Amino acid sequence: MNDMSEEKKGIEASYKSMDTEEFLDIYFNRPIGYMWAMFFKKLGVHPNVVTIFSIFLGIGAGIMFYYPDWKHTLCGIFLLMWANHYDSADGQLARITGQKTKWGRILDGFAGDVWFVTIYAAICLRLMDQPMPFYPEVHWGIYIWLLAALAGIICHSKQCTLADYYRNIHLYFLKGKAGSELDNFKQQRELFHSLPWKGNFFWKIFLYSYGNYTRQQEGMTPNFQRFYALVRQKYGDEIPQTLRDEFRAASRPLMKYTNILTFNTRAIALYVSMLIGEPWLYFVFEVVVMTALFVYMRHRHEAMCARFYHQLNSREE
């Protein structure tokens, strides 16, 4: 019993926060990820190496999804679930061992991108010469690539980018600067320009890309930027606990939407579409269902931030 209790405490200590964890992660992904994390800890494996392992597993999943038969589909699902467990394990291992790095955060995001680029490409290659639903005389051809580009570049990318930002905003007000990865474009560009190219080539490339990522996040959240600037101006990083609690209480109900827009719901939709032999439905799900949720989540969060800005501004006056 004591061992089970200690293990449960260990798993919970490896979470970013209970506010930002979802049901499937708490009861399935995180416990499995924690076991992998402890295994890699014993072997002395760095979290970034675990992330690289996940990249190869995700690529393998994409390759399996190219084939239409059940065996390859089930193998692809298994590999993608395994990749996700490693994605969970790398973060848990980093928090357990204190090996959190900026490289790790960037590499973690890159891993997920590689998984889905491979999966999208595999689906497109698989369907190119297949007849379109409702129009059997017409083959997918270039249309499946256009649908994939809309789903992936326009929809999926923005959805995950904003969901990640909202999680880190919530963690900032919950745990402070040390417990969050809330970065900004100006800071990243200053760091980029402060380093010489010699000896820092790859790091500068990452910094430039990451800076663009933070700029995109800031561009989608004008009301939060106004509120955050006022908070920083008035309090710096020493935000009063009452304001932290108020923001957390308002933000926490939105965390379920950030969770839906990240991996688990997306993966389930992918698995179902592959199992029924209609992988194009996954792209439609991205474009229609996930985009509607994205718009609703952004509207709710921006309205919340506008309200907090006016309240804080009126207190100041």
Side-chain angles (χ1 to χ4, degrees):
M1 182 68 72
N2 287 336
D3 289 344
M4 289 180 64
S5 177
E6 289 299 317
E7 183 177 344
K8 184 179 178 182
K9 288 180 181 178
I11 294 171
E12 291 177 354
S14 70
Y15 296 163
K16 287 184 178 180
S17 81
M18 289 301 294
D19 284 5
T20 54
E21 297 290 341
E22 63 177 309
F23 179 86
L24 195 57
D25 282 333
I26 292 171
Y27 295 102
F28 182 62
N29 293 320
R30 297 304 186 210
I32 295 174
Y34 180 76
M35 288 190 292
W36 279 114
M38 297 306 293
F39 172 73
F40 287 123
K41 181 185 176 185
K42 287 181 181 179
L43 295 180
V45 177
H46 194 278
N48 291 353
V49 176
V50 180
T51 307
I52 293 169
F53 289 161
S54 80
I55 292 175
F56 287 108
L57 290 168
I59 291 172
I63 293 170
M64 292 298 103
F65 288 147
Y66 169 76
Y67 301 96
D69 61 278
W70 274 65
K71 287 183 180 179
H72 282 93
T73 297
L74 291 173
C75 186
I77 291 172
F78 172 76
L79 287 173
L80 189 56
M81 290 174 66
W82 192 357
N84 186 47
H85 291 150
Y86 274 13
D87 181 60
S88 178
D90 63 12
Q92 290 172 295
L93 180 61
R95 287 185 284 276
I96 290 167
T97 60
Q99 293 178 300
K100 291 175 64 176
T101 65
K102 185 76 73 177
W103 270 109
R105 172 162 164 73
I106 295 169
L107 188 62
D108 192 55
F110 175 72
D113 291 342
V114 173
W115 300 354
F116 279 97
V117 166
T118 307
I119 291 166
Y120 278 43
I123 292 173
C124 290
L125 290 169
R126 168 177 165 174
L127 293 181
M128 271 190 70
D129 297 324
Q130 299 299 313
M132 294 179 67
F134 315 116
Y135 299 96
E137 68 280 3
V138 180
H139 286 194
W140 275 104
I142 190 65
Y143 297 112
I144 192 62
W145 292 94
L146 294 175
L147 180 59
L150 174 63
I153 299 171
I154 306 300
C155 300
H156 181 149
S157 175
K158 287 185 179 296
Q159 293 159 9
C160 291
T161 296
L162 192 62
D164 177 63
Y165 196 49
Y166 284 166
R167 277 182 172 179
N168 279 303
I169 290 170
H170 187 87
L171 289 170
Y172 176 76
F173 281 87
L174 175 64
K175 294 186 170 185
K177 189 174 181 180
S180 170
E181 295 169 334
L182 186 63
D183 294 316
N184 62 76
F185 173 71
K186 182 180 178 183
Q187 177 191 60
Q188 297 307 310
R189 275 297 181 266
E190 287 176 353
L191 182 56
F192 172 83
H193 290 300
S194 70
L195 297 173
W197 280 99
K198 187 176 181 181
N200 296 290
F201 179 81
F202 291 108
W203 179 236
K204 280 178 72 77
I205 294 295
F206 270 119
L207 283 175
Y208 188 82
S209 299
Y210 186 61
N212 289 341
Y213 178 76
T214 58
R215 178 165 57 184
Q216 185 181 15
Q217 291 175 322
E218 291 169 4
M220 288 189 285
T221 54
N223 287 343
F224 171 72
Q225 300 309 318
R226 284 200 310 158
F227 169 61
Y228 185 45
L230 184 60
V231 169
R232 297 279 296 168
Q233 175 190 329
K234 188 164 181 160
Y235 305 115
D237 287 319
E238 301 301 319
I239 304 173
Q241 190 61 47
T242 52
L243 179 56
R244 287 181 183 275
D245 292 341
E246 287 172 9
F247 190 91
R248 178 192 177 194
S251 172
R252 186 163 47 189
L254 299 180
M255 290 302 99
K256 59 179 175 287
Y257 303 120
T258 69
N259 289 330
I260 293 171
L261 288 172
T262 48
F263 181 81
N264 289 329
T265 302
R266 198 181 304 276
I268 291 169
L270 174 65
Y271 300 155
V272 171
S273 68
M274 299 302 295
L275 287 169
I276 65 175
E278 301 291 349
W280 60 273
L281 282 174
Y282 171 68
F283 295 151
V284 174
F285 176 81
E286 290 267 22
V287 174
V288 178
V289 178
M290 299 294 261
T291 297
L293 187 61
F294 165 84
V295 172
Y296 176 73
M297 178 185 72
R298 182 174 179 269
H299 170 75
R300 286 273 306 271
H301 201 279
E302 282 290 282
M304 177 190 75
C305 290
R307 185 175 73 251
F308 272 102
Y309 172 81
H310 290 303
Q311 286 175 357
L312 188 58
N313 210 25
S314 61
R315 287 178 200 170
E316 196 173 46
E317 293 171 358

